[in-house]
Amino acid sequence: VEQVARELRRRGFRLTPQRLAIVRALAMTDSHPSAETLYEELLPSFPTMSLATVYKTLNTLREMGQVMQLEFKEGSTRYDGRHPDSHAHLICSACGRIQDVEVDPFSSEARGAIQALGFQLARYRFDLYGLCQGCQQKGASATMKAAR
Amino acid sequence: VEQVARELRRRGFRLTPQRLAIVRALAMTDSHPSAETLYEELLPSFPTMSLATVYKTLNTLREMGQVMQLEFKEGSTRYDGRHPDSHAHLICSACGRIQDVEVDPFSSEARGAIQALGFQLARYRFDLYGLCQGCQQKGASATMKAAR
DNA sequence: CTAGATGCAAACTTTTTGCCAGCCA
DNA sequence: TGGCTGGCAAAAAGTTTGCATCTAG
């Protein structure tokens, strides 16, 4: 949070209460919230907060490289304020949870293929869809119940 | 095209001229078109074609697993009718071109990490952003011109 | 024939923009 | 004080839906 605040100042942006609240909220969660979710979360403490402000702030932070933006078609765009660099995501198709994968995902074949095509890689987005451990168990018991 | 047509019939869908045209257009291009692009492409040959029909057909094909849908926030959703299975994409940030990468992108570490978390992988989306070979060259000459 | 598809327009969702008042530096 | 910001409402962009008409099978 400190670091983002400093960076905002350094770039000539004002450190308003709203911006600070959004930065804090992003830093406190692992849950990759959407703009709407953030807005609802902040509304109790900032009754005058508007969705437009959330969007504007998120866009500012993204341009600063402080958050990573993840677009989905199901539901809306989600934001990751803790890992602004490229990394892989595990996305549960049942509960919508997004977990981060910390290891380098690239196979050496893939790196080779990219290089062979002369492509200059800047960043990537790697989303893995499937079932998280919890939903597999829930699904299994649901199936069993249905079978009776 | 044949195969998709058969599959449509088998599932009890009608093989309308509009559907056929969309399937053909998708099969003929490597360029991952958007719904809008497809619509404009087909309009000359099907003056009555409507955007809604394109969307409906694309959704049908997606549900059949015959096209892969790629959502982006810049511009719109794009469709891949030639490689309906998961694979990596090289996306040029300058010209917007999307190339397919055919090799398996996963590192063994990544597979290990996913397994360790108990995640059951169904499909993935791997988008690599950067500059394609052509745009790197254009960029280089543009820079040189600017330097003079 | 007739269930299912098309085409039009209107609805919907998500995100962005214009504008003025207000506040931070 | 003076320009950046926040908040509101309205616009924009992309996609979906309702419904009357039409058509493939």
Side-chain angles (χ1 to χ4, degrees):
Chain A
V1 177
E2 287 298 307
Q3 186 250 320
V4 178
R6 255 197 313 276
E7 188 63 16
L8 274 166
R9 270 221 190 79
R10 197 181 68 73
R11 302 208 185 199
F13 291 110
R14 288 195 196 150
L15 204 58
T16 62
Q18 290 91 334
R19 282 184 180 158
L20 213 83
I22 291 170
V23 170
R24 279 220 188 88
L26 279 170
M28 299 230 284
T29 181
D30 253 336
S31 71
H32 306 74
S34 67
E36 188 98 33
T37 308
L38 273 172
Y39 169 66
E40 283 161 12
E41 228 170 84
L42 296 173
L43 209 48
S45 3
F46 288 81
T48 76
M49 174 80 74
S50 86
L51 241 189
T53 300
V54 176
Y55 276 110
K56 284 174 187 168
T57 302
L58 286 171
N59 283 336
T60 304
L61 292 172
R62 171 171 51 82
E63 278 156 28
M64 287 172 52
Q66 297 293 347
V67 305
M68 158 149 244
Q69 197 177 30
L70 297 168
E71 293 99 27
F72 298 100
K73 108 129 188 304
E74 343 83 47
S76 49
T77 301
R78 313 261 299 247
Y79 296 85
D80 187 337
R82 306 186 87 170
H83 302 92
D85 301 318
S86 295
H87 60 280
H89 293 104
L90 298 182
I91 302 167
C92 180
S93 307
C95 67
R97 190 156 80 102
I98 303 178
Q99 293 176 76
D100 291 326
V101 177
E102 312 280 355
V103 304
D104 177 11
F106 284 97
S107 65
S108 49
E109 298 95 294
R111 289 205 186 275
I114 296 160
Q115 201 155 34
L117 289 166
F119 191 81
Q120 181 184 321
L121 181 62
R123 67 179 212 284
Y124 63 81
R125 171 166 173 192
F126 199 179
D127 293 341
L128 298 103
Y129 295 88
L131 292 178
C132 70
Q133 201 155 33
C135 286
Q136 285 173 51
Q137 286 159 6
K138 260 182 269 166
S141 53
T143 307
M144 283 199 291
K145 270 179 214 156
R148 278 199 247 134
Chain B
V1 178
E2 287 297 308
Q3 186 250 320
V4 178
R6 257 198 311 277
E7 188 64 15
L8 274 166
R9 271 221 188 77
R10 196 182 68 72
R11 302 205 186 200
F13 290 109
R14 289 197 194 149
L15 205 57
T16 62
Q18 291 89 334
R19 282 187 180 155
L20 218 91
I22 291 169
V23 169
R24 279 220 189 89
L26 280 169
M28 298 231 284
T29 180
D30 252 335
S31 71
H32 306 74
S34 67
E36 188 97 34
T37 308
L38 273 172
Y39 170 65
E40 283 161 13
E41 228 169 85
L42 296 173
L43 209 47
S45 4
F46 288 81
T48 76
M49 173 81 74
S50 86
L51 240 190
T53 299
V54 176
Y55 276 111
K56 285 172 188 168
T57 302
L58 287 171
N59 283 336
T60 303
L61 292 173
R62 171 172 49 83
E63 279 155 28
M64 289 171 51
Q66 297 292 349
V67 305
M68 158 148 246
Q69 197 178 31
L70 296 168
E71 293 99 26
F72 297 100
K73 108 129 189 305
E74 342 84 48
S76 49
T77 301
R78 312 262 298 248
Y79 297 84
D80 188 337
R82 305 186 88 171
H83 302 91
D85 302 319
S86 295
H87 61 280
H89 293 102
L90 298 182
I91 302 167
C92 179
S93 308
C95 67
R97 190 156 81 100
I98 303 179
Q99 293 176 76
D100 291 326
V101 178
E102 312 279 355
V103 304
D104 177 10
F106 285 96
S107 64
S108 49
E109 299 95 293
R111 289 204 186 277
I114 295 160
Q115 201 154 33
L117 288 165
F119 191 83
Q120 180 183 321
L121 180 62
R123 67 179 212 284
Y124 62 82
R125 172 164 172 193
F126 199 177
D127 294 341
L128 299 104
Y129 295 89
L131 292 178
C132 70
Q133 202 156 32
C135 287
Q136 284 172 53
Q137 286 159 4
K138 260 182 268 167
S141 54
T143 307
M144 283 200 291
K145 270 178 215 159
R148 280 200 246 131

